[in-house]
Amino acid sequence: MDKILVTGGLGFIGSHTVVELQEAGYEVVIIDDLSNSSENVLDGINAITGKMPAFEKIDLKEKADVEAFFKKHSDVKGVIHFAASKAVGESVNEPLMYYENNIGTLVYLLKELKKLSEASFIFSSSCTVYGQADELPITENAPVKEAESPYGNTKQIGEEIIRDTCKVVPTLKAIALRYFNPVGSHESAEIGELPIGVPQNLVPFITQTAAGIREQLSVFGDDYPTPDGTCIRDYIHVVDLAKAHLVALERLLQNKNAANYETFNLGTGKGSSVLEVVQSFERVSNEKLNYKIVDRREGDVISAYADTAKAKEQLGWETKLDLDDAMRSAWKWEQKVRGV
């Protein structure tokens, strides 16, 4: 079976995708710098799949290390690229760090893929490329607007770099997957979302607050033009999301697509407000959450949820799990990690 490189493969989405790849029979090699992950995730992947993936600790900002990896693994057939900094708020405060880490590393990877006789590349993109969309749900044809944050801008620029490269490198085929908001964990509770330090995403902050690690959840603004005043997002279960990467990769490896470069939205097609997520958690966990409404956060769009028709029609993929499933699995994972 083909060898697949997964960068950031010990992270939240990466680890779940590694599970799907290994269960489908692929040989997986993980690169991760462990800046926001743990080597212990390997044990969780092994517990689920019965196979320990190969792992190399590499900082993709080190060009020489990237070159050395591809000399050693010249038989890589596909790359799924997750490794990136991903916090909207942090990117506003540290833009240069985000451009260096998210753009420079992508260029180094593509330079190596250009040398191969054939290569398939899946890019971890984001619905942030749309900014505050004019129409909802958001289709892949929606205009890519000026980004609301440096993080969002790195995803826009990343897509442009890949598209431009694919135009002139006929041996490279790529798909950019524009995720909405990944949540939840594997049903086994062997892997899940475990950010280092203070969580930047809503759901781990919810579960850590319920577990007593965080004193209070801050809800950023309740004066948005939405039914309950809080921001609306499309929360997709991470297992559904991981399965989409497998389907997209197989589309490239089997040469079914005519285009060298494609984009797909990955979401549920349904928007949920921050308060609806809180209510879902309280419902499935029987825990009362301590939360407080605070000022809006810079860089947040009001509402974003996906039109998923293209992924369904062309990839044959759609979500199977809902928000309650995601919150239930996230809490199960948190309880296991914390011994709650």
Side-chain angles (χ1 to χ4, degrees):
M1 185 59 91
D2 291 329
K3 181 188 285 188
I4 307 300
L5 165 63
V6 181
T7 73
L10 297 184
F12 176 40
I13 309 170
S15 60
H16 287 82
T17 302
V18 169
V19 165
E20 296 301 326
L21 289 168
Q22 291 201 159
E23 289 188 332
Y26 288 95
E27 180 186 351
V28 177
V29 184
I30 295 171
I31 284 178
D32 204 299
D33 67 0
L34 303 179
S35 61
N36 194 33
S37 57
S38 166
E39 206 166 337
N40 295 335
V41 176
L42 289 167
D43 295 328
I45 294 169
N46 185 36
I48 296 167
T49 66
K51 184 177 181 183
M52 184 69 77
F55 167 64
E56 297 204 21
K57 184 184 176 186
I58 293 174
D59 183 343
L60 292 174
K61 295 193 296 295
E62 300 297 329
K63 185 181 180 185
D65 292 346
V66 178
E67 291 172 345
F69 173 87
F70 277 93
K71 280 185 180 139
K72 180 179 174 184
H73 297 279
S74 58
D75 55 342
V76 163
K77 294 295 184 188
V79 176
I80 304 181
H81 181 42
F82 294 105
S85 301
K86 62 176 185 175
V88 169
E90 183 184 53
S91 78
V92 172
N93 296 322
E94 300 282 350
L96 292 178
M97 180 181 86
Y98 271 68
Y99 289 119
E100 179 184 32
N101 198 40
N102 293 8
I103 301 302
T105 58
L106 173 63
V107 171
Y108 294 159
L109 278 173
L110 291 174
K111 280 188 171 183
E112 294 308 305
L113 294 184
K114 188 178 172 184
K115 299 173 186 175
L116 301 179
S117 58
E118 60 176 348
S120 298
F121 189 75
I122 306 288
F123 181 56
S124 170
S125 191
S126 166
C127 65
T128 56
V129 302
Y130 299 116
Q132 181 57 64
D134 296 325
E135 295 181 13
L136 294 171
I138 301 168
T139 74
E140 288 83 354
N141 295 323
V144 172
K145 294 187 170 184
E146 183 176 349
E148 300 276 340
S149 67
Y151 164 73
N153 202 27
T154 65
K155 293 303 182 183
Q156 290 184 7
I157 295 167
E159 286 195 12
E160 290 166 359
I161 290 169
I162 298 163
R163 186 190 65 218
D164 291 344
T165 305
C166 286
K167 284 179 183 175
V168 295
V169 182
T171 53
L172 176 65
K173 292 192 172 186
I175 290 176
L177 297 175
R178 294 170 174 170
Y179 321 152
F180 281 68
N181 290 63
V183 290
S185 74
H186 195 271
E187 64 180 3
S188 66
E190 292 289 349
I191 56 174
E193 188 169 13
L194 188 62
I196 293 172
V198 179
Q200 300 289 337
N201 294 337
L202 175 62
V203 172
F205 214 110
I206 286 175
T207 58
Q208 288 190 17
T209 303
I213 294 137
R214 306 292 159 197
E215 186 178 339
Q216 190 174 64
L217 170 72
S218 293
V219 175
F220 297 106
D222 66 347
D223 58 349
Y224 286 97
T226 62
D228 64 19
T230 62
C231 289
I232 289 174
R233 297 290 182 271
D234 187 337
Y235 295 94
I236 175 174
H237 198 298
V238 67
V239 172
D240 280 331
L241 186 62
K243 291 179 187 297
H245 289 77
L246 177 63
V247 173
L249 178 69
E250 290 180 340
R251 178 177 176 86
L252 294 178
L253 292 174
Q254 294 165 16
N255 296 317
K256 286 181 182 176
N257 63 318
N260 269 39
Y261 175 73
E262 296 178 292
T263 59
F264 292 94
N265 286 341
L266 297 181
T268 65
K270 179 181 182 294
S272 300
S273 72
V274 175
L275 289 181
E276 285 175 329
V277 176
V278 167
Q279 290 157 10
S280 171
F281 176 80
E282 291 182 335
R283 184 166 56 248
V284 302
S285 69
N286 293 317
E287 298 283 336
K288 191 69 180 167
L289 203 64
N290 181 26
Y291 69 90
K292 180 183 179 183
I293 307 295
V294 298
D295 291 340
R296 292 184 181 193
R297 179 174 59 181
E298 188 177 355
D300 278 340
V301 300
I302 300 164
S303 184
Y305 54 95
D307 183 314
T308 59
K310 184 180 177 186
K312 184 176 181 179
E313 290 165 9
Q314 297 188 29
L315 296 179
W317 170 91
E318 60 184 327
T319 57
K320 308 288 187 197
L321 302 164
D322 63 17
L323 182 60
D324 281 3
D325 293 326
M327 301 308 290
R328 193 178 293 108
S329 65
W331 181 229
K332 184 180 176 184
W333 161 250
E334 188 72 52
Q335 288 176 299
K336 180 185 178 184
V337 169
R338 308 295 177 185
V340 175

